Amino acid sequence: MSMAIAHTPDTPRPSEESRWVGSENSLLPEDEAVHRWYRFILSFPPHLVRTYATEFELTHSSTLLDPFCGTGTTLVEAKKCGISSVGIEAAPMAHFASSVKTDWCIDPGGLVKNAKKLASSLNRRGLPRRLRTLSSEASQLILADSISPVPLHRTLDLIDAIGDTGEFVPYERLALAQILPCKVGNLRFGPEVGVTRYKKEDAPVLDLWMSAIHAIAADLEEVNCNSAVPSRVILADSRSVAEALKPRSIDAVITSPPYPNEKDYTRTTRLESVILGFMLSRAELQAYKKTLVRSNTRTVYRDDDDDCWIAEHPEIHRIAEQIENRRLQLGKTSGFERMYHRVVGLYFGGMAKHLEQLKRVLRPGAQLAYVVGDQASYLRVMIRTGQLLGSIAQDLGYELERIDLFRTRPSTVTKELLREEVLILRWPGDK
Ligand SMILES: C[S@@+](CC[C@H](N)C(=O)[O-])C[C@H]1O[C@@H](n2cnc3c(N)ncnc32)[C@H](O)[C@@H]1O
């Protein structure tokens, strides 16, 4: 493990006004093409990517990186703008979605024709007396009642019919992933994932799926002229980004990493991850959780030591101590509560490790935009994520240009307004 970092105090004042007032986090109707194939609650909007791609003066010869690419918003928008991109993502379902959303080379007419053939063969089948189900191990990974028995049967039938070879398979599976959580299943996002009170006994799986297929085909026609713009997505852990990318190959970064809060991000895509077979056992879930930045107590493991990367950062120690002292005052003793203060060190340590590794793949002068949110999830102790990451980045040799306000959101615990910010950094190159 390499050096721990020290604290530098001269952080620029964050801006007080957002430049996106009113449209901060929505997918604008004119931006829907491709982005709508599959998004999740954690996705940021395409116009944010455009704003910073323009500001960073990216051109057709630039390479843009999103090291926490999620469902590929940065990559899709880059491709639409003619900019080459690379994404890194540790979650198999999100990695799959990004990979499909950045490959525009198939024939849209062929996709619709193939899907219609599959749908008409399935339409002729009635419901059998014994419905298809998931294995008991896979069922235990999803929330109870996430999906009712009949829609689940229809979904599993469709997955079988789609199969696993052929040029249209990824698009057909992604269309299914898109309709699964809320249209076929019983999930709601607000922002935590939960099960709706009303459970659908049945759902028109094939009709919903065909609509998603038609939308994909229409979007492919629309974006066809940019299909040759390179984009690739790597399934990897961005704390080891230098192992995945060539030295000095990246001109800019636009990304949104996880924030330190009590949200278990792995639940956001759990239903489709299990049904599409990306995760079928506790062991697989655990292996995948270990590749994530530690942003909540459900992804902390005994051997974790990312906190050594911020061993000399007094403000992060102060926050961790404040959380632990408050826990003791309040007499909170559950296993998760005892780990709250630890998550803070592991989170910022993991991000420090990522930023240290990133230096090797950046070209001198590279500009970076990190969208991050303040949090008060740990016993109401305020964590100014953007300011702390800015200070860590400065300690590692980055220049902190400024902190923009993206939007404010009410805290679910304190109701106080929490800032979501964009940290603008520049990598000057090794001195
Ligand atoms: C806030 S989301 C990004 C959303 C993305 N901007 C979009 O529009 O869909 C953060 C993502 O980081 C991923 N992630 C967390 N830890 C990671 C790691 N160590 N390496 C790579 N990806 C990671 C999560 O799986 C999640 O998809």
Side-chain angles (χ1 to χ4, degrees), residues 109-355:
L111 171 65
V112 172
K113 205 167 145 197
N114 190 63
K116 276 185 177 162
K117 206 164 83 189
L118 293 179
S120 77
S121 74
L122 289 174
N123 250 335
R124 289 193 287 271
R125 292 192 200 159
L127 281 177
R129 271 207 308 191
R130 257 184 87 150
L131 298 178
R132 304 177 68 154
T133 55
L134 292 168
S135 72
S136 68
E137 196 170 10
S139 305
Q140 280 167 22
L141 296 177
I142 60 177
L143 288 177
D145 294 328
S146 294
I147 182 165
S148 307
V150 173
L152 176 60
H153 170 88
R154 296 191 193 282
T155 300
L156 294 175
D157 247 4
L158 177 54
I159 289 178
D160 249 19
I162 292 171
D164 46 24
T165 45
E167 59 177 329
F168 304 122
V169 167
Y171 304 84
E172 290 166 351
R173 285 166 58 82
L174 189 66
L176 183 57
Q178 188 240 300
I179 60 169
L180 261 175
C182 305
K183 293 180 179 159
V184 174
N186 301 316
L187 296 181
R188 56 170 174 72
F189 294 88
E192 293 289 359
V193 56
V195 174
T196 50
R197 193 177 304 187
Y198 165 76
K199 316 281 180 299
K200 300 172 200 79
E201 278 183 21
D202 201 354
V205 175
L206 289 177
D207 293 346
L208 291 165
W209 179 71
M210 273 313 301
S211 302
I213 292 282
H214 279 294
I216 291 177
D219 292 352
L220 282 169
E221 302 274 8
E222 190 180 320
V223 297
N224 180 36
C225 56
N226 276 2
S227 61
V229 178
S231 184
R232 68 193 171 104
V233 193
I234 305 167
L235 182 67
D237 179 345
S238 272
R239 291 170 299 172
S240 307
V241 60
E243 287 168 23
L245 299 176
K246 285 204 190 114
R248 295 183 170 220
S249 57
I250 300 297
D251 299 285
V253 173
I254 302 177
T255 193
S256 175
Y259 315 159
N261 56 24
E262 251 328 77
K263 290 194 186 81
D264 179 355
Y265 288 111
T266 70
R267 291 189 184 185
T268 311
T269 56
R270 189 77 63 86
L271 180 63
E272 55 273 40
S273 294
V274 169
I275 289 187
L276 289 181
F278 289 111
M279 195 192 303
L280 292 171
S281 65
R282 289 238 158 257
E284 281 177 11
L285 172 62
Q286 196 180 73
Y288 142 54
K289 279 186 172 182
K290 285 191 171 174
T291 63
L292 300 177
V293 169
R294 307 297 192 253
S295 60
N296 67 80
T297 54
R298 284 167 178 79
T299 50
V300 169
Y301 296 91
R302 193 173 309 159
D303 302 339
D304 285 348
D305 59 3
D306 280 352
D307 45 351
C308 68
W309 288 83
I310 45 83
E312 288 168 36
H313 198 294
E315 180 59 8
I316 294 169
H317 284 287
R318 190 194 62 74
I319 292 171
E321 258 174 46
Q322 197 184 345
I323 292 172
E324 181 61 357
N325 288 340
R326 192 163 293 175
R327 176 186 79 78
L328 293 168
Q329 269 166 14
L330 296 170
K332 305 257 183 199
T333 55
S334 78
F336 289 122
E337 288 158 338
R338 283 170 195 269
M339 270 195 296
Y340 282 176
H341 71 289
R342 215 175 146 223
V343 176
V344 177
L346 291 172
Y347 170 77
F348 285 105
M351 289 303 296
K353 184 178 177 191
H354 156 69
L355 288 168

Side-chain angles (χ1 to χ4, degrees), residues 40 42-44 66-73 88-91 94 236-239 256-258 265 288 291-293:
F40 56 24
L42 313 168
S43 301
F44 58 24
D66 185 342
F68 301 93
C69 74
T71 61
T73 309
I88 297 184
E89 173 54 53
D237 179 345
S238 272
R239 291 170 299 172
S256 175
Y265 288 111
Y288 142 54
T291 63
L292 300 177
V293 169

